[in-house]
Amino acid sequence: MIGTTGLIFNEPLLWEMGAEGRTAFSVPDRDVPEQPLDAALAGDGPDFPDLSEPEIVRHYTRLSQWNLSVDSSMYPLGSCTMKYNPKTNERQAGLPGIADAHPLLPVALSQGLLRLMFDLERWLAEITGLDAVTLQPAAGAQGELTGMLIFHAYHAEQGRPRSKILIPDTAHGTNPASASLCGYAAVPVPSGPDGILDPETVARLMDDETAGIMVTNPNTLGLFEREIRRVAEIVHDRGGLVYADGANMNALLGVAHMGAMGVDILHLNLHKTFSTPHGGGGPGAGPVCVTRALAKFLPVPRVLEQEGGFVLSNDCPHSIGKLHAFYGNFGILVRAYSYILSLGPMLEQVSQYAVLNANYIKAGLRGDYHLPYDRPCMHECVFSDKRQLAHKVSALDIAKRLIDYGFHPPTIYFPLVVSGALMIEPTESESRETLDRFIEAMRAIAREAETDPELLHQAPRNAKVRRLDEVQAARKPCLMG
């Protein structure tokens, strides 16, 4: 067995701990006159328990030990890059001049913050090969919505609104939803037998009612869309635009320019590519990069450099408007800024190591798991449970068993074009020793599937919580407190 079961502490709810009068902090004596409180603001208050500081710290520390996390183990969540978050990023984001800045500060007192945003936009433009950037979208999905709003504004300006969007079957699952929110009908595009787009298929589906295409590149099979320039030419020739889902940019940093591929609009997930925190529902950031011709449609306010300083401009008559309060989730932007600045020209090596690590795992597991598309992959590789199904062991069983070996499960059952998919993305920051331990664990699970499948059906066996009824948990969550 790799790893250890360690210690798993039982933990009561906060409301079951503490005692009346116990406190975790003290406040200084009041040095201003007492004032009556508006009765409309008074009430019974929340039912917070009385707890000491050690009780609170130990409670959350013990809870954190129930989970696998990026800080505690490899997190091979394919197509949803879970990069290690360098701690220096947290230090920069926590600097008092940054963390305490109020969004209503006058521009004259915010020059350093605006400079940071201006530089980050410029760097993202250079990295992607596009011309202009907005940092405002709060997540990748909102970035997609931004892109579709720009599609709509562009075609409206051309005097010919369109009604459809082409979306390959290897794109990310949020793409059709984003298109639908803008009134577009999603037209699925089947990928070819080699897992990538066939230009002839795109040409057959592209017509004068189609606003453009949403492409994920590398796609969710972990494969580079090598015909992307031909696809872009076909779409442009019919008056359409090319949107690229940049969720997989961790494979292309410093290696390929999206602009050179014919992409008009691209969103980035800062948590996937630039190491900002991920999970827990945010806050996040999904900057959108566009060509020069589409820059006038970007959300307001825009950060501009004027007379040696920086201003926030709302003088953008073609803008799609405002998408987020103030200027986006600024603290996340600071972390991405810190990440890019600390690596500089070494950003290219991030992608090179990410691709190398994924191919190392693919080669290491080829003999144990079915590989539906046996081509050199980019930053992630996709296996299936085809061999293990002969022993009535599914992708879900394999994923749950990995928890017992100390690894977070990979993405399973996606992409949909692979039945029983196991999508594995190691990222660039895992060492060869860690990759070898992961491969050894996956091989051990493959052997267990043949010799003791019931062991996998019962997994996880060593976690705090055994296998959940995930449908019930999602539809009827039990939230106490």
Side-chain angles (χ1 to χ4, degrees):
M1 177 70 74
I2 299 171
T4 174
T5 56
L7 294 174
I8 300 176
F9 298 100
N10 289 319
E11 186 64 19
L13 299 174
L14 286 174
W15 282 263
E16 298 169 347
M17 302 165 58
E20 186 174 351
R22 203 167 289 174
T23 182
F25 67 96
S26 59
V27 295
D29 293 337
R30 186 180 65 246
D31 58 358
V32 295
E34 186 173 356
Q35 295 292 325
L37 183 65
D38 186 335
L41 300 177
D44 293 333
D47 177 26
F48 289 146
D50 294 353
L51 299 158
S52 68
E53 180 175 308
E55 287 175 315
I56 296 171
V57 170
R58 290 169 184 168
H59 172 76
Y60 286 107
T61 300
R62 288 192 287 261
L63 286 185
S64 73
Q65 293 172 341
W66 290 2
N67 281 323
L68 297 176
S69 69
V70 174
D71 278 352
S72 62
S73 64
M74 179 177 165
Y75 214 108
L77 204 58
S79 214
C80 193
T81 310
M82 299 295 283
K83 295 175 70 123
Y84 176 73
N85 305 149
K87 301 312 170 201
T88 185
N89 298 349
E90 300 303 316
R91 285 194 288 272
Q92 325 315 333
L95 291 172
I98 291 176
D100 297 339
H102 194 282
L104 292 179
L105 272 175
V107 166
L109 297 179
S110 307
Q111 287 298 296
L113 309 176
L114 294 176
R115 167 74 183 272
L116 186 153
M117 295 171 67
F118 183 84
D119 284 348
L120 182 57
E121 287 186 358
R122 191 161 50 88
W123 295 344
L124 295 180
E126 182 175 344
I127 289 169
T128 59
L130 290 162
D131 300 306
V133 178
T134 175
L135 305 174
Q136 199 175 117
Q142 198 183 26
E144 293 177 23
L145 175 64
T146 304
M148 290 301 96
L149 289 171
I150 294 175
F151 264 46
H152 192 274
Y154 170 79
H155 288 295
E157 187 184 60
Q158 300 297 309
R160 183 163 171 70
R162 301 190 176 195
S163 60
K164 299 184 291 185
I165 295 282
L166 303 184
I167 301 180
D169 58 8
T170 52
H172 278 108
T174 48
N175 290 180
S178 299
S180 179
L181 279 173
C182 290
Y184 289 120
V187 178
V189 184
S191 51
D194 53 357
I196 65 170
L197 279 175
D198 178 3
E200 297 305 318
T201 303
V202 175
R204 189 172 62 254
L205 294 171
M206 187 69 201
D207 58 27
D208 294 340
E209 285 300 314
T210 304
I213 190 169
M214 297 181 83
V215 181
T216 299
N217 196 18
N219 65 28
T220 55
L221 289 169
L223 304 178
F224 184 76
E225 293 286 356
R226 61 173 180 257
E227 299 289 350
I228 183 64
R229 292 186 66 172
R230 178 70 186 122
V231 167
E233 290 174 2
I234 292 168
V235 172
H236 289 155
D237 286 347
R238 300 299 295 266
L241 296 174
V242 177
Y243 182 93
D245 183 320
N248 290 344
M249 274 294 290
N250 205 44
L252 299 179
L253 289 175
V255 177
H257 276 184
M258 286 291 186
M261 297 180 200
V263 169
D264 300 293
I265 306 177
L266 165 81
H267 89 258
L268 297 166
N269 299 67
L270 292 191
H271 61 271
K272 292 187 178 184
T273 310
F274 298 102
S275 82
T276 63
H278 180 292
V288 170
C289 315
V290 301
T291 59
R292 194 177 311 281
L294 299 177
K296 62 183 178 182
F297 299 116
L298 289 175
V300 289
R302 301 287 311 281
V303 182
L304 302 179
E305 187 174 23
Q306 286 184 358
E307 300 176 353
F310 299 91
V311 299
L312 287 168
S313 174
N314 285 286
D315 185 17
C316 306
H318 299 281
S319 168
I320 61 171
K322 195 170 176 58
L323 290 166
H324 190 280
F326 302 109
Y327 324 112
N329 290 324
F330 182 74
I332 297 299
L333 306 180
V334 176
R335 291 168 171 85
Y337 179 93
S338 171
Y339 181 73
I340 295 172
L341 194 61
S342 61
L343 286 177
M346 290 192 298
L347 274 177
E348 183 178 357
Q349 293 178 33
V350 168
S351 289
Q352 291 171 339
Y353 288 139
V355 172
L356 177 64
N357 285 359
N359 279 281
Y360 186 78
I361 285 180
K362 183 171 73 68
L365 295 178
R366 178 184 281 116
D368 300 278
Y369 292 88
H370 174 241
L371 193 58
Y373 297 92
D374 194 0
R375 290 178 45 202
C377 63
M378 298 297 287
H379 62 306
E380 59 193 0
C381 54
V382 179
F383 293 94
S384 85
D385 61 6
K386 186 175 181 179
R387 295 183 188 176
Q388 286 70 38
L389 277 181
H391 307 285
K392 301 187 185 312
V393 168
S394 68
L396 179 65
D397 299 323
I398 296 166
K400 295 297 184 185
R401 184 60 176 155
L402 258 180
I403 298 173
D404 287 335
Y405 282 90
F407 293 102
H408 192 282
T411 294
I412 57 174
Y413 300 116
F414 187 79
L416 300 179
V417 292
V418 175
S419 177
L422 289 152
M423 182 196 288
I424 299 168
E425 180 181 2
T427 77
E428 72 283 355
S429 53
E430 300 301 343
S431 67
R432 179 171 178 175
E433 289 77 11
T434 300
L435 299 182
D436 285 339
R437 285 196 295 271
F438 178 79
I439 291 171
E440 184 183 345
M442 288 290 287
R443 286 175 174 169
I445 292 171
R447 291 194 296 271
E448 290 172 351
E450 297 174 2
T451 59
D452 190 3
E454 190 57 26
L455 181 65
L456 275 68
H457 297 156
Q458 296 297 322
R461 300 164 64 90
N462 302 325
K464 172 62 179 174
V465 179
R466 302 292 295 274
R467 197 173 299 202
L468 298 173
D469 182 339
E470 295 179 358
V471 174
Q472 183 79 357
R475 293 181 176 176
K476 296 183 178 179
C478 178
L479 304 175
M480 298 180 65

